[in-house]
């Protein structure tokens, strides 16, 4: 039996909120549902989350819930007539004192007092994800006067970035702080922090999450130029997070599209070596907002991320607001499975030349070495409390499936996002110790993933329910009496 290893994250929105569509997405292989806190009310998010969990349970599937904080995206204010059209060579002003609802052809307000401090003459400003570009020609105490380099329409609340990064708004806004509490109330499995600048933003988010009583794993969205400016900052950010997202929209705008592919590969690789999960996001299937089929370039983009060994690929507007949410999930599933057939998806370097930091890491990696080199091994069972042991295992390339056996709902859901990891509800503490191995293997026999004669690897610790306690591995011969 072969399974798709790369996981699919889909953003929910008007196109996918109905029970019928959501159910189809789950049946088509949705692994993580993303709730975008930039839109919608707390009650709407709660209703959506409940629907996802109910439908997943109905079909015996594990679907994680990821809340995505809005973050300090800096936006222009509003125009009197909603929208203007700018031509190359026009002059245009951003003002921190202009009334916020009275933008004109010449000037618009902006609710970001540090704009003038953060930008200077010669800087390039990118509006609406880079569709409109301006250069700062002069600055006063409350305004930047610019000339338009690339023209186009500009409408209410469009985002603004500075080429090269450097807009200093702190990562967590008051709304984000309220949404961290909401995430705890909703018992979300993942929480994505937008625009973190460095490790300290993630540490602060973690503190707020802990204070709110939440247990969501924190995802750092890598989307500022300064986050990838040097390895020290990037690795610090990764270490301070549980997972990262290559958030290619703003990142591409700030560092330029030509740099993006190399940086994507680097972020994925660094996340994996730090034992963190990684999602590749934004515009993966953009044309499927209007079309039932992806372009060849989009197919290639998704496949490339799979070959880079991302844990998950993500749909944004394609599933939230597009005309073909189901087709988009199906196309992703198909492309992932296809790309995984490539030999580089299965061959691992096993971290040769590196030192392991921890006992559980050593066992997890020993298990992967064995799985990849002992031909009869058809599955790995990791007894896990938090999902950490299977997470480390899945940092190693392999074609052997990793089953995360855990009694905890949250762990089962979280593990659904790890590449090549499949959650199985299982509580070893309910069994006499000598029956655990047999019962675990029986679960896989029941699911038809192994048969008598196959080998299975099982990892666990000396006591049940100890996070980080994995210290042993067994190689079990299916069909024999196991203890
Ligand atoms: C289960 C096993 C324990 C092991 C733990 C590891 O609870 O019964 O023996 O120590 O998983 O959990 P972790 O969260 O570190 O993967």
């Amino acid at each position: 039996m072969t399974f798709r290893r790369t996981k699919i994250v889909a953003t929910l929105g008007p196109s996918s909120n109905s029970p019928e569509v959501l159910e189809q997405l789950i049946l088509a292989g949705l692994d993580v549902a993303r709730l975008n806190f930039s839109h919608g009310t707390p009650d709407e998010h709660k209703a959506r989350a409940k629907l996802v969990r109910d439908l997943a349970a109905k079909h015996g599937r594990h679907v994680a819930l990821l809340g995505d904080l809005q973050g300090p995206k800096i936006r222009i204010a509003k125009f009197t007539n909603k929208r203007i059209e700018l031509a190359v060579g026009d002059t245009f002003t951003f003002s921190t004192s202009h009334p916020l609802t009275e933008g004109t052809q010449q000037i618009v307000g902006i609710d970001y007092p540090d704009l003038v401090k953060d930008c200077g003459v010669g800087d390039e400003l990118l509006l609406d994800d880079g569709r409109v570009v301006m250069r700062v020609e002069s600055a006063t105490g409350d305004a930047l006067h610019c000339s338009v380099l690339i023209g186009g329409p500009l409408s209410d609340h469009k985002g603004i970035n500075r080429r090269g990064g450097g807009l200093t708004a702190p990562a967590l806004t008051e709304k984000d702080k309220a949404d961290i509490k909401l995430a705890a109330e909703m018992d979300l499995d993942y929480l994505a922090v937008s625009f973190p600048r460095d490790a300290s933003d993630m540490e602060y988010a973690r503190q707020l999450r802990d204070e709110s009583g939440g247990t969501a794993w924190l995802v750092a969205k890598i989307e500022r130029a300064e986050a990838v400016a040097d390895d020290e900052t990037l690795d610090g950010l990764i270490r301070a997070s549980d997972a990262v997202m290559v958030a290619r929209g703003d990142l591409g705008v700030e560092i330029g599209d030509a740099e993006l592919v190399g940086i994507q590969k680097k972020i994925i690789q660094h996340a994996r070596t730090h034992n963190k999960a990684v999602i590749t996001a934004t515009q993966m299937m953009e044309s499927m907002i209007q079309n039932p089929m992806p372009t060849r370039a989009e197919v290639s983009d998704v496949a490339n991320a799979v070959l880079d060994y991302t844990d998950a690929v993500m749909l944004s507007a394609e599933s939230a607001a597009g005309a073909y949410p189901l087709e988009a999930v199906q196309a992703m599933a198909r492309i992932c499975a296809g790309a995984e057939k490539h030999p580089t998806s299965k061959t691992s370097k096993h971290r040769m030349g590196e030192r392991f930091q921890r006992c559980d890491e050593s066992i997890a990696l020993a298990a992967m070495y064995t799985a990849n080199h002992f031909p009869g091994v058809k599955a790995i069972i990791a007894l896990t409390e938090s999902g950490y042991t299977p997470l480390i295992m899945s940092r190693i390339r392999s074609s052997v499936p990793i089953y995360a056996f855990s009694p905890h709902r949250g762990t089962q859901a979280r593990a659904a996002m790890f590449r090549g990891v499949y959650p199985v509800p299982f509580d070893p503490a309910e069994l006499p110790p000598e029956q655990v191995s047999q019962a675990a293997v029986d679960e896989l026999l029941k699911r038809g993933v192994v048969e008598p004669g196959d080998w299975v690897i099982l990892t666990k610790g000396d006591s049940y329910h100890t996070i980080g306690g994995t210290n042993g591995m067994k190689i079990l011969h299916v069909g024999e009496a196991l203890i």
Side-chain angles (χ1 to χ4, degrees):
M1 234 204 246
T2 50
F3 296 96
R4 168 172 51 81
R5 294 182 77 90
T6 315
K7 303 308 178 78
I8 296 175
V9 185
T11 307
L12 303 187
S15 300
S16 42
N17 283 339
S18 74
E20 296 74 30
V21 175
L22 203 49
E23 186 162 27
Q24 284 180 311
L25 298 191
I26 289 172
L27 291 172
L30 175 68
D31 299 293
V32 182
R34 172 174 174 254
L35 306 171
N36 188 351
F37 285 145
S38 299
H39 306 285
T41 65
D43 284 345
E44 283 165 2
H45 291 306
K46 284 183 191 165
R48 237 172 254 174
K50 182 171 182 319
L51 196 55
V52 171
R53 285 189 171 145
D54 288 351
L55 288 169
K58 174 176 163 195
H59 293 287
R61 298 254 310 129
H62 300 277
V63 179
L65 286 174
L66 179 149
D68 199 332
L69 298 175
Q70 181 174 31
K73 174 92 181 161
I74 299 169
R75 295 176 183 279
I76 59 170
K78 288 167 105 172
F79 293 95
T80 312
N81 296 321
K82 286 200 164 57
R83 165 194 164 109
I84 59 165
E85 189 77 33
L86 290 163
V88 177
D90 283 359
T91 54
F92 193 77
T93 297
F94 300 96
S95 163
T96 55
S97 59
H98 191 77
L100 295 176
T101 52
E102 293 173 27
T104 67
Q105 185 67 34
Q106 286 80 34
I107 185 167
V108 73
I110 186 162
D111 190 12
Y112 176 55
D114 284 339
L115 179 76
V116 180
K117 205 179 83 200
D118 289 349
C119 301
V121 172
D123 283 354
E124 275 183 24
L125 299 178
L126 302 117
L127 286 303
D128 191 12
D129 294 336
R131 287 182 185 87
V132 172
V133 181
M134 305 191 194
R135 185 176 54 225
V136 180
E137 302 295 352
S138 66
T140 56
D142 63 352
L144 297 175
H145 305 285
C146 306
S147 61
V148 176
L149 303 181
I150 298 179
L154 194 57
S155 52
D156 292 354
H157 294 311
K158 286 297 178 210
I160 178 166
N161 298 79
R162 176 176 175 269
R163 175 96 67 202
L167 298 185
T168 55
L172 294 167
T173 65
E174 291 310 311
K175 172 171 163 51
D176 296 335
K177 291 176 192 171
D179 285 341
I180 290 177
K181 291 193 187 132
L182 174 64
E185 238 181 273
M186 292 167 68
D187 196 17
L188 292 189
D189 307 304
Y190 288 99
L191 189 59
V193 177
S194 297
F195 300 99
R197 293 162 297 188
D198 52 27
S200 64
D201 279 335
M202 295 308 294
E203 283 154 13
Y204 184 42
R206 192 172 297 277
Q207 182 197 327
L208 295 175
R209 181 208 63 182
D210 291 346
E211 284 166 13
S212 72
T215 54
W217 280 24
L218 297 183
V219 183
K221 290 167 73 178
I222 313 289
E223 52 188 337
R224 289 200 194 206
E226 43 282 50
V228 296
D230 55 70
D231 284 2
E232 209 180 314
T233 312
L234 176 62
D235 290 345
L237 201 43
I238 291 173
R239 271 194 296 267
S241 316
D242 302 303
V244 299
M245 185 192 291
V246 191
R248 306 185 305 180
D250 282 276
L251 186 60
V253 170
E254 290 203 359
I255 66 175
D257 53 8
E259 299 296 320
L260 197 56
V261 177
I263 290 285
Q264 169 177 318
K265 288 178 190 288
K266 180 175 179 167
I267 296 170
I268 294 173
Q269 196 225 322
H270 282 226
R272 296 182 59 79
T273 21
H274 284 93
N275 292 333
K276 312 291 177 170
V278 51
I279 306 166
T280 306
T282 322
Q283 291 188 349
M284 298 212 89
M285 294 269 180
E286 188 79 354
S287 76
M288 290 194 78
I289 295 171
Q290 287 106 16
N291 298 302
M293 261 184 70
T295 66
R296 292 292 180 265
E298 288 161 349
V299 170
S300 205
D301 182 38
V302 171
N304 177 50
V306 172
L307 296 177
D308 289 344
Y309 227 72
T310 190
D311 283 271
V313 285
M314 190 171 114
L315 295 167
S316 309
E318 302 92 333
S319 55
Y324 300 97
L326 176 62
E327 288 80 355
V329 171
Q330 287 169 335
M332 265 193 164
R334 179 173 78 231
I335 296 159
C336 289
E340 288 164 12
K341 289 187 192 147
H342 192 272
T344 58
S345 274
K346 300 173 189 163
T347 330
S348 164
K349 296 200 195 78
H350 290 297
R351 303 194 176 185
M352 293 303 175
E354 279 182 43
R355 285 168 193 271
F356 305 154
Q357 312 285 332
R358 304 166 37 145
C359 292
D360 55 352
E361 185 184 18
S362 308
I363 295 293
L365 299 179
M368 295 315 292
Y369 195 82
T370 307
N372 283 349
H373 293 267
F374 190 44
V377 174
K378 292 288 157 49
I380 299 164
I381 296 171
L383 302 192
T384 183
E385 197 62 12
S386 67
Y388 194 62
T389 306
L391 171 68
I392 311 175
M393 288 175 173
S394 67
R395 302 309 83 194
I396 296 293
R397 292 177 185 230
S398 178
S399 58
V400 180
I402 300 160
Y403 291 89
F405 276 51
S406 180
H408 308 297
R409 187 213 63 76
T411 300
Q412 294 156 15
R414 266 198 301 271
M417 197 173 83
F418 308 153
R419 181 148 171 166
V421 176
Y422 310 94
V424 175
F426 185 84
D427 189 357
E430 282 179 349
L431 299 163
E434 69 279 4
Q435 286 179 23
V436 169
S437 297
Q438 187 67 60
V441 168
D442 286 349
E443 276 292 328
L444 297 190
L445 276 164
K446 201 170 78 191
R447 282 156 205 255
V449 289
V450 295
E451 52 186 41
D454 290 341
W455 294 91
V456 169
I457 294 171
L458 182 145
T459 65
K460 61 187 177 72
D462 286 337
S463 62
Y464 301 128
H465 308 316
T466 312
I467 293 179
T470 298
N471 66 358
M473 134 182 169
K474 284 186 156 197
I475 307 182
L476 305 168
H477 204 190
V478 181
E480 287 178 11
L482 305 173
I483 46 164

